Amino acid sequence: MDVAMIELSATAAVAAMRAGDITALAYAEALLERCVEGVALNAFITLDPEAVRAGARAADAHRAAGGVLGPLHGLPIPVKDSVNTAGIETTLGTKALRRWVPARDATTIARLKAAGAIVLGKTNIHELSFGWTSSNLEFGAVRNPYDPSRIPGGSSGGTAAAVAARMAPLGVAEDTQGSIRVPAALCGIAGFRPTTGRYPNDGIAPITALFDQIGAHARCVADLALFDAVVSGEVAGIEPATLSGLRIGIDRDFFFAGIDAEVAALVEAALALLSAAGAVIVEAPVAGLGAVLPVAMAIQVHDVVPALERYLADSGAPVDFEALFAGVSTDVADVFAQVALAGAPAAIAEDVYATARDTARPALQQAMSAWFAEHRIDAMLLPATMVPATPVADEGDVEIGGTPVAFAIAIARNTTPCSTLGLPGLVLPCGLTAAGLPVAIELDGPAGGDRRLLAIGMAVEAVLGALPAPILRG
């Protein structure tokens, strides 16, 4: 395996292939070899090396014939297995959809392919994207590259593990309440959830259209910007922002309350570095933010079943929701039976749902918009998760400073506001714990401020630096 090749960013790899410094086939072989080396991470559900090689040979032949080369020429990209891919199985991580091959790509995948990308494979996920561990009972648990006894986060855990482990520099993920950002944080990479609706979401297994958003994992912000340019169509270059005078807002009352001591220390160190670089740290609470968690859950558990029913019908899946649910693993089925199925004991009443959707959420969106404007905030900064990666198969309470905290709160409390309110969110690593586990910050921007947030992320990344690559264990 060519170590220099697998360490290339997507931007650098594409530039090298376009220039003829390396062939697409040689690059694909290096990544495929790394996939074999990291097979114990269980990052992929479907991986077809011959199809990848065929795509790489076609890319090389296209270049040799003088064809126009796309911005992703020859780049193998892993895709979360909740995103439809023509000619490749799309399982949603569940039994009933084993061997189902969609007739057409999701629009985002079609745009990536049109830009020259090759689908590397379909990555393992939390079943039906309904959880934060990626401990899939049907296809096996995904493992964290920094410590295989720990979770990679979910639901896009396979993509995050693959990118962190150098199986690919750029991958497709998806986020409803943190499913891009949690895995990015726990696996020590960058993850970008754009403003809701910035990238097309058709052909993606849903939870709720109000929050669902496809996005990307990478190891640097420049690659996230490359992905953004291809999928959004905004192709003008993004330059790093100037940190001097940049106003970074923090809400300690919500995001910093009760977090793990090592997480707190590393995030505070990141804030100190940014302050030393000229950023202005503005401490101000967001009015009413504590109401966001029940609003988020009410909308998701109400919408998920009808959303899946529509997705299965629209995608031409071979099963309806009833048949799909009959094969769902017990952990996810139990949650659906408790909160999401018709007649579930904790189902959300229609009036409660309507209030959450039509009153509470818009009020929170208005409060957040006013907070950015009133305090002249360029980006909000927060600890991405309350704790580092937790052990696989341990989803009980997490002990933080001697206090038991519900697993879902410890993992997803801090990612919830961004997706619930439709904001762009960018996760960046900020250090390792004493046990070698990644810790990350999240930067959120005002709705529609995606390119500005990526520019800020480039500047922040330059100050904080990247983590050392994980050492894969057999």
Side-chain angles (χ1 to χ4, degrees):
M1 182 180 61
D2 189 321
V3 174
M5 278 199 201
I6 66 169
E7 287 291 345
L8 290 173
S9 68
T11 304
V14 170
M17 288 185 283
R18 286 169 59 102
D21 296 333
I22 60 175
T23 65
L25 182 59
Y27 183 60
E29 291 288 7
L31 297 185
L32 288 169
E33 189 173 345
R34 184 64 167 179
C35 291
V36 171
E37 186 176 352
V39 68
L41 297 177
N42 199 31
F44 286 90
I45 288 176
T46 303
L47 182 66
D48 184 347
E50 286 309 312
V52 176
R53 292 184 181 106
R57 290 189 187 99
D60 286 334
H62 182 67
R63 183 184 180 279
V68 176
L69 304 183
L72 299 178
H73 168 73
L75 185 71
I77 294 181
V79 177
K80 182 180 181 180
D81 206 13
S82 61
V83 181
N84 290 359
T85 45
I88 306 173
E89 289 182 17
T90 298
T91 72
L92 281 58
T94 200
K95 182 178 181 178
L97 292 177
R98 280 182 178 270
R99 292 175 291 281
W100 173 51
V101 179
R104 61 185 181 274
D105 287 316
T107 297
T108 290
I109 301 304
R111 291 181 183 179
L112 296 173
K113 286 183 175 180
I118 301 163
V119 175
L120 176 60
K122 301 301 291 293
T123 52
N124 202 351
I125 66 173
H126 202 107
E127 191 167 356
L128 300 184
S129 296
F130 215 69
W132 291 285
T133 67
S134 299
S135 294
N136 188 305
L137 297 187
E138 179 66 22
F139 292 95
V142 185
R143 304 282 172 162
N144 192 308
Y146 283 88
D147 180 348
S149 73
R150 305 275 175 156
I151 63 170
S155 60
S156 308
T159 298
V163 171
R166 277 56 180 174
M167 299 174 189
L170 179 65
V172 175
E174 185 277 332
D175 190 296
T176 301
Q177 195 182 346
S179 290
I180 290 171
R181 292 161 292 142
V182 167
L186 300 189
C187 290
I189 59 172
F192 182 55
R193 175 206 162 88
T195 298
T196 303
R198 180 169 176 82
Y199 306 157
N201 285 323
D202 63 279
I204 302 166
I207 293 177
T208 172
L210 290 176
F211 305 165
D212 296 337
Q213 183 54 62
I214 201 166
H217 283 146
R219 295 193 298 272
C220 64
V221 180
D223 286 354
L224 297 174
L226 175 62
F227 185 97
D228 182 79
V230 168
V231 181
S232 75
E234 292 193 55
V235 297
I238 299 175
E239 296 297 325
T242 300
L243 285 178
S244 180
L246 189 86
R247 294 175 66 83
I248 295 176
I250 60 174
D251 180 344
R252 290 192 181 276
D253 294 348
F254 185 89
F255 294 108
F256 288 71
I259 63 176
D260 173 81
E262 283 191 284
V263 171
L266 287 166
V267 173
E268 294 296 346
L271 283 168
L273 286 171
L274 294 173
S275 180
V280 178
I281 310 302
V282 180
E283 300 203 23
V286 180
L289 196 56
V292 74
L293 292 170
V295 169
M297 294 312 299
I299 291 172
Q300 288 184 82
V301 301
H302 177 278
D303 285 358
V304 62
V305 171
L308 281 169
E309 289 172 339
R310 287 191 297 272
Y311 162 81
L312 293 169
D314 291 348
S315 298
V319 295
D320 60 13
F321 177 78
E322 183 178 359
L324 177 139
F325 190 74
V328 170
S329 300
T330 54
D331 59 336
V332 174
D334 288 347
V335 176
F336 270 71
Q338 181 67 25
V339 302
L341 299 183
I348 300 299
E350 289 299 325
D351 61 333
V352 174
Y353 170 71
T355 298
R357 181 193 62 195
D358 300 334
T359 303
R361 179 173 177 263
L364 284 166
Q365 289 176 308
Q366 184 176 4
M368 182 66 79
S369 179
W371 181 84
F372 275 106
E374 177 185 351
H375 301 286
R376 295 180 289 115
I377 303 299
D378 293 294
M380 171 186 279
L381 187 149
L382 53 129
T385 58
M386 293 177 66
V387 292
T390 57
V392 172
D394 184 359
E395 295 183 43
D397 287 349
V398 178
E399 188 170 297
I400 306 177
T403 301
V405 177
F407 173 81
I409 296 296
I411 292 296
R413 179 195 72 183
N414 282 8
T415 58
T416 298
C418 171
S419 43
T420 302
L421 307 183
L423 310 179
L426 172 65
V427 162
L428 296 172
C430 65
L432 296 170
T433 68
L437 298 175
V439 170
I441 60 166
E442 178 173 333
L443 296 167
D444 292 346
D450 299 75
R451 291 169 65 80
R452 172 64 172 162
L453 184 63
L454 290 168
I456 292 169
M458 289 177 180
V460 171
E461 175 184 64
V463 171
L464 300 185
L467 300 185
I471 299 171
L472 298 191
R473 309 171 196 178

